[in-house]
């Protein structure tokens, strides 16, 4: 009997990996510790964002981001004592904030995001996938005039280097584009080719497709260890018994570093906790998904509801809600919307984004086990980059041709600090 390929982790990256593996004719079993999509894949704002090319690490980010982390309303916060892993990550992040590293990371993110959007379109054409796809673009809204004006440099760079469509809407012209915004803002930059989906519907649709295609899905199964002999993995040790496997793809997001020592590699992923609030409303909803740049808070309209999300909190592997971070979401919404949402919240969510300091995921063979592939570290673009990540991981696992060059995502790129 042919041993299956196991995909460990039932988020969007894991689901996409399983999908592309079975398209290649492989027997696949998907293991999830909780339930499919229970982690960072479920509560995000649903952006399919080829516009998100620039990583967090760019020239000037140390001054702009790291130096403001202690502010209560900073988009990024550190709320845990420094440990050596986080300290190393921050030093590597600071070193990455140079022009050449940023350009390399941006080019790789562009490939990943552009490929993923095309794969989403192919999925919707080929499968019965119900995800509330809307292609209304994405709007970056600025409160301060200086911030809006400074973004012109970024907009020109994205347009000239990567061919992105981007439009500037100064002052109240942005309200003509999106009437739910309040007047008096500095303006907004509009990316017409971005899209949105309902994250939970994507996961639910993929689950059904995988089952129909013969993929075995097991929830409530936690992989505790890997049995590795002579450079190959023979079995997965789980809380429900050992599983003999021909190969495995580790798609466990922010918790992928738990396997680092066993796999003989460094996995510099830090959990960056994000939050969202889902607010049921019958009021006029925004047509265009938006990001409020001053707090980097995102807002998306779903059917009968508004989701307000984002912020970045380095709090370790802490699952608790930070009420101050949740309050920042509502504060930002009230400062930007003409009719701010009320306090009725149907869902509070937080989850760990798998943050790599250079803004790129890790998609590669594990050094200690040639038949184990890591596919994790997609940061804040997990939903937007999941299809290409999954297809690249499936290609590496089967020795077939990947849709994009996998070299930028190699584990070998990490230096002495890790």
């Amino acid at each position: 009997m042919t041993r299956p390929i196991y995909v460990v982790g039932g988020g969007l990256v894991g689901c996409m990996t399983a999908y592309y593996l079975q398209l290649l004719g492989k027997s696949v079993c998907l293991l999830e510790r909780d339930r499919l999509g229970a982690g960072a894949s479920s509560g995000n704002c649903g952006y399919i964002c080829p516009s998100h090319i620039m990583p967090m690490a760019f020239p000037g980010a140390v001054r702009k981001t790291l130096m403001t982390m202690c502010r209560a309303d900073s988009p990024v916060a550190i709320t845990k004592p420094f440990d050596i892993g986080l300290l190393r990550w921050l030093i590597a992040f600071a070193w990455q904030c140079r022009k050449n590293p940023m350009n390399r990371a941006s080019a790789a993110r562009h490939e990943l995001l552009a490929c993923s959007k095309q794969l989403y379109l192919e999925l919707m054409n080929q499968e019965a996938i119900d995800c509330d796809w809307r292609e209304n673009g994405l709007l970056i809204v600025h409160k301060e005039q200086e911030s809006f004006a400074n973004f012109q440099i970024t907009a020109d760079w994205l347009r000239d280097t990567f061919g992105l469509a981007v439009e500037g809407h100064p002052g109240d012209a942005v309200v003509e584009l999106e009437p739910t915004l309040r007047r008096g803002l500095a303006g907004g930059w509009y990316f017409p080719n971005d899209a949105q989906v309902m994250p939970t519907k994507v996961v639910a649709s993929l689950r059904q497709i995988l089952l129909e295609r013969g993929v075995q899905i097991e929830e409530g199964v936690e992989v505790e260890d890997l049995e590795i002999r002579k450079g190959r993995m023979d079995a997965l040790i789980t809380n429900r018994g050992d599983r003999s496997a021909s190969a495995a793809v580790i798609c466990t997001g922010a918790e992928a570093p738990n396997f680092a020592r066993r796999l003989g590699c460094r996995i510099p992923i830090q959990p960056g906790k994000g939050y969202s609030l889902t607010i049921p409303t019958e009021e006029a909803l925004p047509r265009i998904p938006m990001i409020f740049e001053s707090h980097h808070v995102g807002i998306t309209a779903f059917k009968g509801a508004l989701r307000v999300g984002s912020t970045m909190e380095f709090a370790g592997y802490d699952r608790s809600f930070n009420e101050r971070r949740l309050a920042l979401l509502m504060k930002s919404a009230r400062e930007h919307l003409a009719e701010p949402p009320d306090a009725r919240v149907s869902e509070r969510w937080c989850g760990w984004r798998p943050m790599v300091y250079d803004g790129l995921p890790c998609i590669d063979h594990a050094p200690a086990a040639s038949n184990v592939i890591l596919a994790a570290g997609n940061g804040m673009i997990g939903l937007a980059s999941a299809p290409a990540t999954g297809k690249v991981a499936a290609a590496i696992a089967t020795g077939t041709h990947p849709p994009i060059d996998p070299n930028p995502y190699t584990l070998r790129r990490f230096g002495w600090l890790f």
Side-chain angles (χ1 to χ4, degrees), residues 9-20 22-23 30 36-37 41 48 119-120 122-124 126-131 197-217 219 382-383 386-388 390:
L12 274 169
V13 170
C15 288
M16 290 291 184
T17 301
Y19 174 78
Y20 288 111
Q22 62 78 31
L23 279 187
L30 176 58
L36 256 60
S41 293
I48 308 297
L119 291 173
Y120 268 118
E122 291 176 9
L123 260 174
M124 288 186 294
Q126 296 167 5
E127 308 282 359
I129 185 165
D130 174 21
C131 61
V197 294
M198 181 61 177
T200 52
K201 285 195 169 187
V202 178
V203 174
S205 290
L206 282 171
R207 179 194 183 98
Q208 187 61 35
I209 291 165
L210 291 174
L211 290 172
E212 290 173 356
R213 288 182 168 272
V215 173
Q216 185 179 357
I217 297 174
E219 295 174 311
L383 183 146

Side-chain angles (χ1 to χ4, degrees), residues 7-210:
V7 177
V8 183
L12 274 169
V13 170
C15 288
M16 290 291 184
T17 301
Y19 174 78
Y20 288 111
L21 281 169
Q22 62 78 31
L23 279 187
L24 291 168
K26 299 301 179 181
S27 172
V28 183
C29 182
L30 176 58
L31 302 181
E32 165 54 39
R33 181 182 62 189
D34 190 349
R35 56 181 174 78
L36 256 60
S41 293
S42 62
N44 61 75
C45 287
Y47 297 154
I48 308 297
C49 47
S51 63
H52 278 40
I53 291 170
M54 182 179 288
M56 278 182 63
F58 59 88
V62 172
R63 175 180 54 82
K64 183 178 180 180
T65 303
L66 299 182
M67 299 295 287
T68 64
M69 281 183 176
C70 295
R71 282 179 16 210
D73 65 344
S74 172
V76 182
I78 296 177
T79 57
K80 64 168 287 187
F82 276 88
D83 61 30
I84 189 64
L86 179 58
L87 180 60
R88 285 175 174 170
W89 193 97
L90 291 171
I91 292 170
F93 177 89
W95 181 247
Q96 186 73 17
C97 293
R98 296 172 293 130
K99 183 177 179 180
N100 287 340
M102 181 203 71
N103 286 340
R104 288 193 295 270
S106 297
R109 285 168 66 95
H110 173 57
E111 291 293 314
L112 198 66
L113 290 165
C115 179
S116 289
K117 185 184 175 185
Q118 183 58 41
L119 291 173
Y120 268 118
L121 294 172
E122 291 176 9
L123 260 174
M124 288 186 294
N125 286 331
Q126 296 167 5
E127 308 282 359
I129 185 165
D130 174 21
C131 61
D132 291 349
W133 178 277
R134 302 182 198 173
E135 202 157 347
N136 293 331
L138 179 69
L139 183 61
I140 312 296
V141 182
H142 296 255
K143 280 177 60 181
E144 293 82 19
Q145 185 60 45
E146 182 181 6
S147 174
F148 175 78
N150 287 343
F151 197 84
Q152 177 78 60
I153 298 171
T154 300
D156 291 342
W157 175 69
L158 292 172
R159 186 187 298 114
D160 297 342
T161 306
F162 300 104
L164 261 63
V166 54
E167 306 167 3
H169 294 263
D172 286 345
V174 74
V175 182
E176 304 303 317
L177 179 67
E178 178 47 69
T180 59
L181 287 168
R182 71 171 179 84
R183 294 190 175 273
L185 298 168
W189 291 91
Y190 178 54
F191 295 87
N193 293 327
D194 282 18
Q196 72 174 78
V197 294
M198 181 61 177
T200 52
K201 285 195 169 187
V202 178
V203 174
S205 290
L206 282 171
R207 179 194 183 98
Q208 187 61 35
I209 291 165
L210 291 174

